[in-house]
Amino acid sequence: MKRLLLVEDEPGLVLTLTDRLAREGYAVESSADGESGLERAAKEPFDLVLLDVMLPRLNGFDVLRDLRRRGIETPVIMLTARGQVTDKVVGLKLGADDYVTKPFEMMELLARIEAKLRRAPATPHPAEGYQFGDMRVDFRRADVMKNGEPVEVSAREFQLLKYFIEHRGATLTREELLNEVWGYNAMPSTRTVDVHVAWLRQKIEPNVRHPQFILTVHGLGYKFAG
Ligand code: CA
């Protein structure tokens, strides 16, 4: 079930949207102000965020800017007020994936949500492989291909990548990665995790300076978004 976060302060709209989206088969959570919306979107795995612009405490633009600054690439659809063209431009510049103008038709919103979610890759079959971007990971043969060309990864890098893929969308702490990928008897240095993540990024990220697959969750750890 896809998880949506609705950040909206208008109770009537929250009720209507939550009810309708639930009937479409989505799990919907909501936040009534920008600050709590930002915290939830940053810390919990959502497949998509519906973000109002005019919000108490922190407006939608600030929420979006902060999310992207923290490296969180969850698709965001902005809910903008009618006629505020600048809202759309600012929102898209800040990294919104789409916007819907209020008052909107429910069918239009549903279509846009579906379109965004369709682009996200399907859940991997753990026994076989996984594909993201130009990368293809074969779990059985333990190899990684980029555009059909083999990529050299160490056994540890492969295990790390596999763990990321299997826990796609979840924030993984350095401690968890160290315990799960290196084992409990490993040298207790979370720095080891950072070093391997950096190596892995060199091999799988199109732009290492702006990672799009292995995201840094500041103060927490990492999240795989491929
Ligand atoms: Ca509002």
Side-chain angles (χ1 to χ4, degrees), residues 22-72:
R23 274 191 283 137
E24 294 294 325
Y26 297 114
V28 188
E29 307 273 330
S30 62
S31 288
D33 67 83
E35 232 170 62
S36 65
L38 173 63
E39 284 318 301
R40 297 201 64 176
K43 288 178 182 162
E44 298 173 39
F46 287 101
D47 295 290
L48 185 123
V49 178
L50 294 172
L51 180 60
D52 185 27
V53 174
M54 297 294 286
L55 287 167
R57 300 176 79 87
L58 201 62
N59 74 44
F61 295 139
D62 291 334
V63 172
L64 178 61
R65 185 187 293 118
D66 229 60
L67 270 184
R68 296 303 187 233
R69 215 176 257 164
R70 295 190 198 185
I72 291 155

Side-chain angles (χ1 to χ4, degrees), residues 71 73 121 132-135 146 161 164 168-169 201 204-207 210-216 222-226:
E73 300 295 331
F132 60 98
D134 298 331
M135 310 298 302
K146 182 172 194 169
L161 180 58
F164 271 126
R168 188 168 71 89
R201 277 174 169 162
I204 67 169
E205 294 285 355
N207 182 351
H210 299 283
Q212 66 183 76
F213 300 129
I214 302 178
L215 310 179
T216 300
Y222 297 100
K223 174 154 81 176
F224 186 71

Side-chain angles (χ1 to χ4, degrees), residues 108-124:
E108 185 194 353
L109 180 65
L110 291 174
R112 283 171 189 261
I113 290 172
E114 265 180 43
K116 287 302 142 207
L117 292 176
R118 234 192 339 262
R119 274 184 8 198
T123 314

Side-chain angles (χ1 to χ4, degrees), residues 191-221:
R191 176 85 189 120
T192 307
V193 175
D194 296 330
V195 170
H196 279 77
V197 164
W199 287 340
L200 207 46
R201 277 174 169 162
Q202 298 279 353
K203 295 172 182 181
I204 67 169
E205 294 285 355
N207 182 351
V208 175
R209 297 169 67 91
H210 299 283
Q212 66 183 76
F213 300 129
I214 302 178
L215 310 179
T216 300
V217 183
H218 288 293
L220 290 171

Side-chain angles (χ1 to χ4, degrees), residues 100-215:
V100 174
T101 307
K102 288 179 181 177
F104 47 80
E105 292 292 329
M106 193 59 81
M107 292 312 289
E108 185 194 353
L109 180 65
L110 291 174
R112 283 171 189 261
I113 290 172
E114 265 180 43
K116 287 302 142 207
L117 292 176
R118 234 192 339 262
R119 274 184 8 198
T123 314
H125 190 294
E128 293 170 11
Y130 187 68
Q131 193 148 6
F132 60 98
D134 298 331
M135 310 298 302
R136 165 93 205 154
V137 181
D138 189 320
F139 292 140
R140 281 190 184 151
R141 294 165 43 178
D143 65 17
V144 179
M145 309 283 269
K146 182 172 194 169
N147 284 322
E149 297 289 320
V151 175
E152 291 255 345
V153 291
S154 70
R156 192 70 77 191
E157 287 163 3
F158 187 82
Q159 288 170 326
L160 180 61
L161 180 58
K162 185 164 183 268
Y163 195 81
F164 271 126
I165 292 169
E166 287 169 348
H167 299 83
R168 188 168 71 89
T171 297
L172 305 171
T173 64
R174 292 176 176 80
E175 288 75 16
E176 176 179 347
L177 291 167
L178 199 61
N179 286 336
E180 297 297 328
V181 178
W182 277 262
Y184 286 88
N185 298 324
M187 296 261 290
S189 164
T190 50
R191 176 85 189 120
T192 307
V193 175
D194 296 330
V195 170
H196 279 77
V197 164
W199 287 340
L200 207 46
R201 277 174 169 162
Q202 298 279 353
K203 295 172 182 181
I204 67 169
E205 294 285 355
N207 182 351
V208 175
R209 297 169 67 91
H210 299 283
Q212 66 183 76
F213 300 129
I214 302 178
L215 310 179

